[in-house]
Amino acid sequence: MGDNDPGLLELAYDAKRFVLYMRSIIEMAPLQVYYSGLLFTPGSSLIRAGYFKNIPWVTMEPKVVDVWSSLIQTLEGHTMGVNSATFSPNGKLIASASEDGTVRLWDTSTGRQCVVLEGHTSEINSAVFSPDGKLVVSASRDNTVRLWDTSTGKQCGVLEGHTSLVKSAVFSPDGKLVASASMGANSVRLWDTLTGKQCGVLEGHIYPVLSVVFSPNGKLIASASLDETVRLWDTSTGKQCAVLKGHTSRVTSAVFSLDGKLVVSASHDKTVRLWDTSTGKQCAVLKGHTDYVNSTVFSPNGKLVASTSRDNTVRLWDTSTGKQYRVLEGHTNWVNSAVFSPDAMLVTSASEDETVRLWDTSTRKQCGVLKGHTNHVNSTVFSPDGTLAASASWDKTVRLWDTSTGKQCGVLEGHTDLVNLAVFSPDGKLIASASKDTSVRLWDTSTGKQCGVLAGHNNHVNAAAFSPDGTLVVSASDDNTVRLWDISTGNQCGVLEGHTWPVNSAVFSPNGKLVASASWDKTVRLWDTSTGKQSGVLKGHTSHVNSAVFSPSGKLIASASLDATVRLWDARNKTTIEIIKTHPSVNIMTFSNDGTHLHTSHGLLQLKSSPHSGGNREPPHTLTHSLYVTEQWITCNMKKLLWLPVDYRPSCSAVNDTANILVLGSPSGRVIFISIDFTALPAAYLQPSVNVAVIAGKGFLGLVGC
């Protein structure tokens, strides 16, 4: 084939996309390339077509997009949200600033992390390169602006003087000045980069300034403020030149076009606005975001604007028409900033999902949409017989799925706000859903029709659960109460009052005689369902309690808290039996069938104290064929089985142990099913791992790699 053979070029392009998309797993666990790598690659990929053979132990494959999207690569390394990311002047590096207190430099061609700039003592809000690329300036919540040498990674200057957190800092085009904006003052400060001394203060805003930027020729400065305005300043005199008014909420950023004739601004009023710098007049309003807009920036040629939002998207706009050009979807949390590469071929974005992402602005193909929710999925659960799964979402719906095919078979609509949770009744004929609209709703699973509204709470309902006999529902709310409801009538039959803060969860004991509720007030409370009276308070946690569950025998209660512990309690004596330290804190958990372990959102917790009838504990072999999902892995018997690419990592998940099916709900709204055939797994996976990672001597079973 010749050098210009289109087939060869297409294969080379596809191979490059594959390597960049799977770079992190290639480095961590190369053999996963043949499993996860090919399994999650777009359906039309030439690499997938040439090398993918059905994985014998995956009997239901996850649905994937058809073609490569605009997303090229995800840069992972930060341990908290990323506030900003920007290209170096030559486009070879990216600097990212994070809530984890670091600035990281990345190689744009490989995605490799080159250096970590450490020195700030708190969250870093922004980091940008100097015009010659030799320095980076960073702005932090530690009230300082710092200068860094990009070749060595060493700190070479601290600009001190701000009395509160610094939101933004930028170089002038000649690199001689730095302008910074702080929440502690309604002004912009100018600094001499050579001496580190303050050389000017721009005053005029009536509320704090959130961002600041120089014009390309350095003669103007634009500042964006909580006072809903953008102001233009003369750099040489420090005088205010113009006030750009039009936004109806705080303005989060403002940036000049390359020729300096326009300013683009982003606001919490969900709009992006274009302004003429010579007249100060508004010349376009770009509408499309569904939540606050955090930042905006021009492409180098001025033809496009990129904006980022709390709606988890980056949007590209045509500046000549004001129309939306493309939506870049993939982040699973707020997108804080985005910027074009010097050649405008790439966009890099920074997000609260702890990632920096690279996007190809020239990609015109539509990658296809995986059907599901249109917003974040909060919970997933299987029906008692395993034939259905239900998912609850921020899109205000509950959706039903056929677990044998993975296809959607019902949409339960009626809630007027996001749905926190959905649960099946013991016979599988009903679903109860808890919502921020203050109600619990009942649905008939055979018809999908609403058959009851349990109204009485006066704040968000966080959780609901059926009694073991299916005659009652218990609900937990931000109104500090737990309520009992009669299913047959829909009437409230008890208000359980005693918590002093919102209640996160409530569950029945196996015999239905007790309810355990977990609250922000740091307690778990026990209630007698026949009288509605409080029968005990479990105290000991030092922070919010996320959830509480009974053991299968009802003799134990486990509670999980933001204090990064799980506590095991004797349900009769109301005393602590065991404290298990976890990191991070656990949100969701259930007991294993034998009561010897807890399945949690971060793995299995082995319990040292687990009384059973007869005083004996079942041996560990009862955990054979144990599937669960962590953030990045599907694991089997504590061993890493299948890596989940960032786009497929779940916000919630559920496992049907009988059928060995997993359902994953994602922040993007996607719901996918994966089924595992244990008989086809390598023998090494069929016995629990003997490797145990102990945290604080309390028996936390850690994941072991393949």
Side-chain angles (χ1 to χ4, degrees):
M1 292 187 290
D3 291 341
N4 295 322
D5 185 280
L8 182 60
L9 293 174
E10 188 176 353
L11 178 61
Y13 172 80
D14 193 73
K16 179 181 178 182
R17 292 298 303 267
F18 179 85
V19 170
L20 289 175
Y21 187 67
M22 296 294 169
R23 183 189 64 84
S24 58
I25 195 58
I26 291 172
E27 293 176 352
M28 289 190 298
L31 291 180
Q32 281 290 320
V33 171
Y34 297 97
Y35 298 123
S36 174
L38 293 171
L39 188 63
F40 289 101
T41 296
S44 64
S45 163
L46 297 179
I47 296 296
R48 180 186 174 107
Y51 295 95
F52 182 63
K53 297 178 181 178
N54 291 335
I55 301 172
W57 41 266
V58 177
T59 54
M60 183 188 297
E61 297 175 5
K63 290 182 171 62
V64 295
V65 295
D66 298 327
V67 299
W68 293 109
S69 70
S70 297
L71 178 63
I72 296 176
Q73 194 170 17
T74 301
L75 311 181
E76 297 184 273
H78 285 294
T79 57
M80 297 180 72
V82 188
N83 290 319
S84 80
T86 186
F87 286 95
S88 61
N90 63 10
K92 293 183 178 180
L93 292 176
I94 289 172
S96 57
S98 170
E99 294 166 9
D100 66 13
T102 69
V103 175
R104 297 176 189 239
L105 302 184
W106 311 81
D107 185 311
T108 55
S109 62
T110 65
R112 181 180 62 88
Q113 184 175 285
C114 304
V115 69
V116 181
L117 312 182
E118 296 179 285
H120 281 293
T121 58
S122 188
E123 172 181 338
I124 304 175
N125 292 311
S126 75
V128 297
F129 288 93
S130 60
D132 61 7
K134 294 181 179 180
L135 297 176
V136 163
V137 64
S138 56
S140 170
R141 290 183 72 94
D142 66 10
N143 304 354
T144 69
V145 176
R146 300 185 186 226
L147 299 174
W148 310 84
D149 186 310
T150 56
S151 61
T152 65
K154 292 183 179 180
Q155 185 176 286
C156 53
V158 182
L159 312 183
E160 296 179 289
H162 285 294
T163 58
S164 185
L165 65 93
V166 190
K167 289 292 290 183
S168 172
V170 291
F171 285 99
S172 61
D174 61 9
K176 294 180 179 180
L177 295 176
V178 163
S180 60
S182 166
M183 288 294 286
N186 309 334
S187 61
V188 173
R189 297 187 185 222
L190 299 179
W191 311 82
D192 185 308
T193 54
L194 187 62
T195 65
K197 293 183 178 180
Q198 185 176 295
C199 55
V201 181
L202 312 181
E203 298 180 297
H205 282 290
I206 59 175
Y207 286 111
V209 183
L210 300 179
S211 99
V212 61
V213 66
F214 285 90
S215 63
N217 62 12
K219 294 181 178 180
L220 292 177
I221 287 174
S223 55
S225 169
L226 284 172
D227 66 14
E228 303 178 4
T229 71
V230 176
R231 299 185 186 230
L232 302 182
W233 312 82
D234 185 306
T235 311
S236 60
T237 65
K239 291 184 178 180
Q240 185 174 286
C241 306
V243 181
L244 313 183
K245 295 182 179 180
H247 283 295
T248 57
S249 187
R250 65 175 60 185
V251 187
T252 50
S253 81
V255 178
F256 288 92
S257 59
L258 192 59
D259 60 10
K261 294 180 179 180
L262 294 175
V263 161
V264 62
S265 57
S267 170
H268 277 197
D269 66 12
K270 304 179 186 178
T271 70
V272 175
R273 300 183 187 231
L274 294 173
W275 311 83
D276 186 310
T277 56
S278 62
T279 64
K281 291 184 178 180
Q282 182 177 290
C283 44
V285 181
L286 314 182
K287 296 181 180 180
H289 282 294
T290 58
D291 208 331
Y292 299 158
V293 187
N294 291 322
S295 77
T296 187
V297 65
F298 282 98
S299 62
N301 60 13
K303 292 182 178 180
L304 294 177
V305 159
S307 57
T308 67
S309 169
R310 289 193 183 185
D311 65 12
N312 301 358
T313 69
V314 179
R315 296 181 189 238
L316 304 182
W317 310 83
D318 186 313
T319 55
S320 62
T321 64
K323 292 183 179 180
Q324 188 170 283
Y325 174 71
R326 190 166 308 137
V327 181
L328 308 180
E329 297 178 287
H331 280 296
T332 58
N333 209 328
W334 303 345
V335 190
N336 291 317
S337 77
V339 67
F340 288 89
S341 62
D343 62 5
M345 297 300 292
L346 300 175
V347 165
T348 184
S349 55
S351 169
E352 286 295 316
D353 66 11
E354 303 178 7
T355 70
V356 176
R357 304 199 186 202
L358 283 171
W359 311 84
D360 183 344
T361 60
S362 64
T363 301
R364 297 296 304 187
K365 292 180 180 179
Q366 295 299 311
C367 63
V369 178
L370 297 180
K371 291 183 179 180
H373 291 282
T374 58
N375 210 324
H376 189 282
V377 182
N378 284 323
S379 78
T380 54
V381 64
F382 284 97
S383 61
D385 65 4
T387 60
L388 292 176
S391 54
S393 169
W394 286 7
D395 68 8
K396 306 176 187 178
T397 71
V398 175
R399 298 185 186 232
L400 295 178
W401 308 84
D402 183 319
T403 58
S404 64
T405 63
K407 291 183 178 179
Q408 184 176 289
C409 56
V411 182
L412 313 183
E413 298 179 289
H415 281 294
T416 58
D417 206 335
L418 66 86
V419 188
N420 287 314
L421 175 140
V423 291
F424 284 92
S425 61
D427 62 8
K429 293 181 179 180
L430 293 177
I431 283 176
S433 55
S435 169
K436 274 197 171 184
D437 67 10
T438 75
S439 75
V440 175
R441 298 186 185 230
L442 301 178
W443 312 84
D444 186 310
T445 56
S446 62
T447 64
K449 291 184 178 179
Q450 184 175 289
C451 53
V453 180
L454 311 182
H457 285 293
N458 55 43
N459 209 326
H460 306 159
V461 186
N462 297 314
F466 285 92
S467 61
D469 62 7
T471 61
L472 297 176
V473 161
V474 64
S475 57
S477 169
D478 278 358
D479 66 10
N480 303 356
T481 71
V482 177
R483 300 187 186 226
L484 293 173
W485 311 85
D486 186 309
I487 294 303
S488 61
T489 64
N491 292 334
Q492 185 174 285
C493 53
V495 181
L496 314 183
E497 296 179 292
H499 283 294
T500 57
W501 282 83
V503 189
N504 294 316
S505 77
V507 293
F508 285 94
S509 61
N511 62 12
K513 293 181 178 181
L514 292 177
V515 161
S517 56
S519 168
W520 283 25
D521 66 12
K522 307 176 187 177
T523 70
V524 175
R525 297 182 188 238
L526 302 181
W527 312 85
D528 186 309
T529 55
S530 62
T531 65
K533 291 183 179 179
Q534 185 173 287
S535 62
V537 183
L538 310 183
K539 295 182 179 180
H541 283 296
T542 58
S543 188
H544 304 165
V545 186
N546 298 322
S547 65
V549 291
F550 285 92
S551 66
S553 67
K555 295 180 180 180
L556 299 177
I557 296 169
S559 58
S561 168
L562 284 181
D563 65 12
T565 69
V566 169
R567 288 182 176 243
L568 199 64
W569 310 81
D570 184 309
R572 176 179 295 180
N573 300 326
K574 284 74 172 183
T575 56
T576 301
I577 298 174
E578 184 177 353
I579 301 174
I580 306 169
K581 293 185 179 180
T582 64
H583 184 76
S585 60
V586 169
N587 292 318
I588 301 170
M589 60 186 176
T590 58
F591 274 91
S592 60
N593 291 334
D594 63 5
T596 63
H597 294 75
L598 285 169
H599 293 264
T600 79
S601 48
H602 300 299
L604 284 177
L605 291 178
Q606 181 177 339
L607 306 178
K608 291 174 65 178
S609 309
S610 181
H612 290 268
S613 57
N616 296 318
R617 231 171 59 177
E618 292 292 332
H621 72 257
T622 56
L623 286 176
T624 300
H625 299 179
S626 174
L627 279 175
Y628 61 88
V629 184
T630 64
E631 181 185 358
Q632 296 186 30
W633 290 90
I634 293 172
T635 67
C636 175
N637 295 324
M638 301 306 298
K639 299 173 184 177
K640 295 175 180 177
L641 179 63
L642 190 66
W643 182 73
L644 297 172
V646 66
D647 298 331
Y648 293 87
R649 290 175 195 166
S651 53
C652 57
S653 62
V655 179
N656 182 336
D657 290 320
T658 303
N660 299 322
I661 299 175
L662 304 98
V663 56
L664 313 179
S666 79
S668 67
R670 175 186 298 149
V671 176
I672 63 170
F673 291 80
I674 301 174
S675 181
I676 305 297
D677 178 4
F678 280 109
T679 63
L681 278 171
Y685 285 97
L686 299 183
Q687 294 296 326
S689 169
V690 297
N691 294 321
V692 178
V694 179
I695 296 181
K698 294 298 181 180
F700 175 76
L701 279 177
L703 297 180
V704 295
C706 57

Coordinates of all heavy atoms in Angstrom, one line a residue, residues 56-109:
P56 N -14.6 -15.4 26.6 CA -15.4 -16.5 27.0 C -16.2 -16.3 28.2 O -17.3 -16.9 28.4 CB -14.5 -17.7 27.0 CG -13.1 -17.1 27.2 CD -13.2 -15.8 26.5
W57 N -15.6 -15.6 29.2 CA -16.3 -15.4 30.5 C -17.2 -14.2 30.5 O -17.9 -13.9 31.6 CB -15.3 -15.4 31.6 CG -14.1 -14.7 31.4 CD1 -12.9 -15.2 31.0 CD2 -13.8 -13.3 31.7 NE1 -11.9 -14.2 30.9 CE2 -12.5 -13.0 31.3 CE3 -14.6 -12.2 32.1 CZ2 -11.9 -11.8 31.5 CZ3 -14.1 -11.0 32.2 CH2 -12.7 -10.7 31.9
V58 N -17.3 -13.4 29.5 CA -18.3 -12.3 29.4 C -19.4 -12.7 28.5 O -19.3 -12.8 27.3 CB -17.6 -11.0 28.8 CG1 -18.7 -9.9 28.7 CG2 -16.5 -10.6 29.7
T59 N -20.6 -13.1 29.1 CA -21.7 -13.6 28.3 C -22.7 -12.5 27.9 O -23.5 -12.7 27.0 CB -22.5 -14.6 29.2 OG1 -22.8 -14.1 30.4 CG2 -21.6 -15.9 29.4
M60 N -22.6 -11.3 28.5 CA -23.4 -10.2 28.0 C -22.4 -9.0 28.0 O -21.9 -8.5 29.0 CB -24.5 -9.8 29.0 CG -25.4 -8.6 28.4 SD -26.6 -8.0 29.6 CE -27.7 -9.4 29.7
E61 N -22.1 -8.6 26.8 CA -21.1 -7.5 26.6 C -21.7 -6.1 26.8 O -22.9 -5.9 26.5 CB -20.5 -7.5 25.2 CG -19.7 -8.8 24.9 CD -19.3 -8.9 23.4 OE1 -19.5 -7.9 22.7 OE2 -18.7 -9.9 23.0
P62 N -20.9 -5.2 27.4 CA -21.5 -3.8 27.6 C -21.7 -3.2 26.2 O -21.0 -3.4 25.3 CB -20.4 -3.1 28.3 CG -19.1 -3.8 28.0 CD -19.5 -5.3 27.8
K63 N -22.8 -2.4 26.1 CA -23.0 -1.7 24.9 C -22.1 -0.5 24.8 O -21.9 0.2 25.8 CB -24.5 -1.1 24.8 CG -25.5 -2.3 24.7 CD -26.9 -1.7 24.6 CE -27.9 -2.8 24.2 NZ -28.0 -3.9 25.2
V64 N -21.4 -0.3 23.6 CA -20.4 0.7 23.5 C -20.9 1.6 22.3 O -21.7 1.3 21.5 CB -19.0 0.1 23.2 CG1 -18.5 -0.6 24.4 CG2 -19.0 -0.7 21.9
V65 N -20.2 2.8 22.2 CA -20.6 3.7 21.1 C -20.1 3.2 19.8 O -19.2 2.2 19.8 CB -19.9 5.1 21.4 CG1 -20.5 5.8 22.6 CG2 -18.4 5.0 21.5
D66 N -20.6 3.7 18.7 CA -20.2 3.2 17.4 C -18.8 3.6 16.9 O -18.1 2.8 16.4 CB -21.3 3.6 16.4 CG -22.7 3.1 16.7 OD1 -22.7 2.0 17.3 OD2 -23.6 3.8 16.5
V67 N -18.5 4.9 17.1 CA -17.3 5.4 16.5 C -16.6 6.3 17.6 O -17.2 6.6 18.6 CB -17.5 6.3 15.3 CG1 -18.2 5.5 14.2 CG2 -18.4 7.5 15.6
W68 N -15.3 6.6 17.4 CA -14.6 7.4 18.3 C -15.3 8.8 18.4 O -15.6 9.4 17.4 CB -13.1 7.6 17.8 CG -12.3 6.4 17.8 CD1 -11.9 5.7 16.7 CD2 -11.8 5.7 19.0 NE1 -11.1 4.6 17.1 CE2 -11.0 4.6 18.5 CE3 -11.9 5.9 20.4 CZ2 -10.4 3.7 19.4 CZ3 -11.2 5.1 21.2 CH2 -10.5 4.0 20.7
S69 N -15.4 9.3 19.6 CA -15.9 10.6 19.8 C -14.8 11.6 19.7 O -13.7 11.3 19.4 CB -16.6 10.6 21.2 OG -15.6 10.6 22.2
S70 N -15.2 12.9 20.1 CA -14.2 14.0 20.1 C -13.2 13.8 21.2 O -12.1 14.4 21.1 CB -14.9 15.3 20.2 OG -15.8 15.6 19.2
L71 N -13.5 13.0 22.2 CA -12.6 12.8 23.3 C -11.4 11.9 22.8 O -11.5 10.8 22.4 CB -13.3 12.1 24.5 CG -12.4 11.8 25.7 CD1 -11.8 13.0 26.3 CD2 -13.2 11.0 26.7
I72 N -10.2 12.5 23.0 CA -9.0 11.8 22.6 C -8.3 11.1 23.8 O -7.9 9.9 23.7 CB -7.9 12.8 22.0 CG1 -8.5 13.4 20.7 CG2 -6.6 12.1 21.7 CD1 -7.6 14.4 20.1
Q73 N -8.2 11.8 24.9 CA -7.5 11.2 26.0 C -7.9 11.8 27.3 O -8.4 13.0 27.4 CB -6.0 11.4 25.8 CG -5.1 10.6 26.8 CD -3.6 10.7 26.4 OE1 -3.2 11.6 25.7 NE2 -2.8 9.8 26.9
T74 N -7.9 11.0 28.4 CA -8.2 11.5 29.7 C -6.9 11.4 30.6 O -6.3 10.3 30.7 CB -9.3 10.6 30.4 OG1 -10.5 10.7 29.5 CG2 -9.6 11.1 31.8
L75 N -6.5 12.5 31.2 CA -5.3 12.5 32.0 C -5.7 12.4 33.4 O -6.4 13.3 34.0 CB -4.6 13.9 31.7 CG -4.3 14.3 30.3 CD1 -3.6 15.6 30.2 CD2 -3.6 13.2 29.5
E76 N -5.3 11.3 34.1 CA -5.6 11.0 35.5 C -4.4 11.1 36.3 O -3.3 10.6 35.9 CB -6.3 9.7 35.6 CG -7.6 9.5 34.8 CD -8.2 8.2 35.0 OE1 -7.9 7.3 34.3 OE2 -9.1 8.1 36.0
G77 N -4.5 11.6 37.5 CA -3.4 11.7 38.4 C -3.8 12.6 39.6 O -3.3 12.3 40.7
H78 N -4.6 13.7 39.4 CA -5.0 14.5 40.5 C -5.9 13.7 41.4 O -6.7 12.8 40.9 CB -5.8 15.7 40.0 CG -4.9 16.8 39.4 ND1 -4.0 17.5 40.2 CD2 -4.7 17.3 38.1 CE1 -3.3 18.3 39.4 NE2 -3.7 18.2 38.2
T79 N -5.9 14.0 42.7 CA -6.7 13.2 43.6 C -8.0 14.0 44.1 O -8.7 13.5 44.9 CB -5.9 12.9 44.9 OG1 -5.4 14.1 45.4 CG2 -4.7 12.0 44.5
M80 N -8.1 15.2 43.5 CA -9.3 16.0 43.8 C -9.7 16.7 42.5 O -9.0 16.6 41.5 CB -9.1 16.9 45.0 CG -8.8 16.2 46.3 SD -8.6 17.4 47.7 CE -10.3 18.0 47.9
G81 N -10.8 17.5 42.5 CA -11.2 18.2 41.4 C -10.2 19.1 40.7 O -9.3 19.6 41.4
V82 N -10.2 19.2 39.4 CA -9.3 20.0 38.7 C -10.0 21.4 38.3 O -11.0 21.4 37.7 CB -8.7 19.3 37.4 CG1 -7.6 20.1 36.8 CG2 -8.3 17.9 37.7
N83 N -9.4 22.5 38.7 CA -10.0 23.8 38.5 C -9.6 24.4 37.2 O -10.4 25.2 36.6 CB -9.6 24.7 39.7 CG -10.3 24.3 41.0 OD1 -11.4 24.0 41.0 ND2 -9.5 24.4 42.1
S84 N -8.4 24.2 36.7 CA -8.1 24.8 35.4 C -7.0 23.9 34.7 O -6.3 23.2 35.3 CB -7.5 26.2 35.6 OG -6.2 26.2 36.0
A85 N -7.0 24.0 33.4 CA -6.0 23.4 32.6 C -5.7 24.3 31.4 O -6.6 24.8 30.8 CB -6.4 22.0 32.1
T86 N -4.4 24.4 31.0 CA -4.1 25.3 29.9 C -2.8 24.8 29.2 O -2.0 24.1 29.8 CB -3.8 26.8 30.4 OG1 -3.6 27.6 29.3 CG2 -2.6 26.8 31.3
F87 N -2.7 25.1 27.9 CA -1.6 24.7 27.1 C -0.4 25.7 27.2 O -0.6 26.9 27.5 CB -2.0 24.7 25.6 CG -2.8 23.5 25.2 CD1 -4.2 23.7 25.1 CD2 -2.3 22.3 24.8 CE1 -5.0 22.6 24.7 CE2 -3.1 21.2 24.4 CZ -4.5 21.4 24.4
S88 N 0.8 25.1 27.1 CA 1.9 26.0 27.0 C 1.9 26.7 25.6 O 1.2 26.3 24.7 CB 3.2 25.2 27.1 OG 3.3 24.2 26.1
P89 N 2.7 27.8 25.4 CA 2.6 28.5 24.2 C 3.0 27.7 22.9 O 2.4 27.9 21.9 CB 3.7 29.6 24.4 CG 3.7 29.8 25.8 CD 3.5 28.5 26.5
N90 N 3.8 26.7 23.1 CA 4.2 25.8 22.0 C 3.3 24.6 21.8 O 3.4 23.8 21.0 CB 5.6 25.4 22.0 CG 5.9 24.5 23.2 OD1 5.0 24.1 24.0 ND2 7.2 24.3 23.5
G91 N 2.3 24.4 22.8 CA 1.3 23.4 22.7 C 1.8 22.0 23.1 O 1.1 21.0 23.1
K92 N 3.1 21.9 23.6 CA 3.7 20.6 24.0 C 3.3 20.2 25.4 O 3.5 19.0 25.8 CB 5.2 20.7 23.8 CG 5.6 20.8 22.3 CD 7.1 20.8 22.1 CE 7.5 20.9 20.7 NZ 8.9 20.8 20.5
L93 N 2.9 21.1 26.3 CA 2.6 20.8 27.7 C 1.2 21.3 28.0 O 0.7 22.3 27.4 CB 3.6 21.5 28.6 CG 5.1 21.0 28.6 CD1 5.9 21.8 29.5 CD2 5.1 19.5 29.0
I94 N 0.7 20.7 29.1 CA -0.5 21.2 29.7 C -0.2 21.4 31.2 O 0.4 20.5 31.8 CB -1.7 20.2 29.5 CG1 -2.2 20.2 28.1 CG2 -2.9 20.5 30.5 CD1 -3.2 19.1 27.8
A95 N -0.7 22.5 31.7 CA -0.6 22.7 33.2 C -2.0 22.6 33.8 O -2.9 23.3 33.3 CB 0.0 24.1 33.5
S96 N -2.1 21.8 34.8 CA -3.4 21.7 35.4 C -3.3 22.0 36.9 O -2.4 21.7 37.6 CB -4.0 20.2 35.3 OG -3.1 19.3 35.8
A97 N -4.3 22.8 37.4 CA -4.4 23.2 38.8 C -5.5 22.5 39.5 O -6.6 22.5 39.0 CB -4.5 24.7 38.9
S98 N -5.3 22.0 40.7 CA -6.2 21.2 41.4 C -6.5 21.5 42.8 O -5.7 22.2 43.5 CB -5.8 19.7 41.3 OG -6.6 18.8 42.1
E99 N -7.7 21.0 43.3 CA -8.0 21.1 44.7 C -7.1 20.3 45.6 O -7.1 20.5 46.8 CB -9.5 20.7 44.9 CG -10.5 21.6 44.2 CD -11.9 21.0 44.1 OE1 -12.1 19.9 44.7 OE2 -12.7 21.5 43.4
D100 N -6.3 19.4 45.0 CA -5.4 18.6 45.8 C -4.1 19.4 46.1 O -3.2 18.8 46.7 CB -5.0 17.3 45.1 CG -4.3 17.5 43.8 OD1 -3.7 18.6 43.5 OD2 -4.2 16.5 43.0
G101 N -4.0 20.7 45.8 CA -2.9 21.5 46.2 C -1.7 21.4 45.2 O -0.7 22.0 45.6
T102 N -1.9 20.8 44.1 CA -0.7 20.7 43.2 C -1.1 21.2 41.8 O -2.2 21.3 41.4 CB -0.3 19.2 42.9 OG1 -1.3 18.5 42.2 CG2 -0.1 18.5 44.2
V103 N 0.0 21.6 41.1 CA -0.1 21.9 39.7 C 0.7 20.8 39.0 O 1.8 20.4 39.4 CB 0.6 23.2 39.3 CG1 0.6 23.4 37.8 CG2 -0.2 24.4 40.0
R104 N 0.1 20.2 37.9 CA 0.8 19.1 37.2 C 1.0 19.5 35.8 O 0.1 20.1 35.2 CB 0.0 17.8 37.3 CG -0.1 17.3 38.8 CD -1.0 16.1 39.0 NE -1.2 15.9 40.4 CZ -0.9 14.8 41.1 NH1 -0.3 13.8 40.5 NH2 -1.1 14.7 42.4
L105 N 2.2 19.1 35.3 CA 2.5 19.3 33.9 C 2.4 18.0 33.1 O 2.9 17.0 33.6 CB 3.9 19.9 33.7 CG 4.2 21.3 34.5 CD1 5.6 21.8 34.1 CD2 3.1 22.3 34.1
W106 N 1.8 18.1 31.9 CA 1.6 16.8 31.2 C 2.1 17.0 29.7 O 2.0 18.1 29.2 CB 0.1 16.6 31.1 CG -0.7 16.6 32.3 CD1 -1.2 17.7 33.0 CD2 -1.1 15.5 33.2 NE1 -1.8 17.4 34.1 CE2 -1.8 16.0 34.3 CE3 -0.9 14.1 33.1 CZ2 -2.3 15.2 35.3 CZ3 -1.5 13.3 34.0 CH2 -2.2 13.9 35.1
D107 N 2.6 15.9 29.2 CA 3.0 15.9 27.8 C 1.8 15.7 26.9 O 1.1 14.7 27.0 CB 4.0 14.8 27.6 CG 4.6 14.8 26.2 OD1 3.9 14.8 25.2 OD2 5.9 14.7 26.1
T108 N 1.5 16.6 26.0 CA 0.3 16.5 25.2 C 0.3 15.4 24.2 O -0.7 14.9 23.7 CB 0.0 17.9 24.5 OG1 1.1 18.3 23.7 CG2 -0.4 19.0 25.5
S109 N 1.5 15.0 23.8 CA 1.6 14.0 22.7 C 1.3 12.6 23.3 O 0.8 11.7 22.6 CB 2.9 14.0 22.0 OG 4.0 13.8 22.9

